[in-house]
Amino acid sequence: MESSAPSIEFTLTSLGTLAVHVRMRRRGDRWLAEVTESEFAAALGSSAREALAVALQPFGDSAMRMLLADLGLLAPSVAVLEMEAEARLA
């Protein structure tokens, strides 16, 4: 695993009952989402959102929807867009 690859790290919460730490990284034309709560889950997807949604599936549909609705996702979303723009220019 490339330790020098830029990553986006943030925490998502679900009504204060669940908090997960997320790390997003580009892997070529795909995104890798790594999620840590009491256990670790990772997923690869063609988009950052797809990778994150798949990595959150072990928490169940309801928790996944709540976590994806967390307003804390706004800043990481902007960072994802910036990384995708940089990748297109490279």
Side-chain angles (χ1 to χ4, degrees):
M1 204 174 272
E2 299 174 16
S3 59
S4 63
S7 63
I8 302 165
E9 297 188 38
F10 53 97
T11 300
L12 295 175
T13 59
S14 170
L15 297 176
T17 60
L18 176 65
V20 296
H21 179 75
V22 180
R23 179 187 296 174
M24 304 288 304
R25 289 186 272 189
R26 283 193 63 86
R27 292 288 186 237
D29 63 345
R30 299 207 169 261
W31 281 91
L32 173 66
E34 300 171 321
V35 177
T36 308
E37 197 254 341
S38 59
E39 294 186 28
F40 176 82
L44 199 60
S46 59
S47 70
R49 187 183 192 312
E50 178 183 309
L52 180 57
V54 172
L56 293 174
Q57 283 181 347
F59 299 103
D61 288 339
S62 178
M64 179 180 67
R65 283 193 299 276
M66 297 294 272
L67 290 165
L68 290 174
D70 183 351
L71 292 178
L73 197 52
L74 294 175
S77 296
V78 171
V80 164
L81 291 172
E82 290 171 348
M83 286 180 77
E84 288 178 338
E86 288 174 11
R88 282 192 296 273
L89 295 174

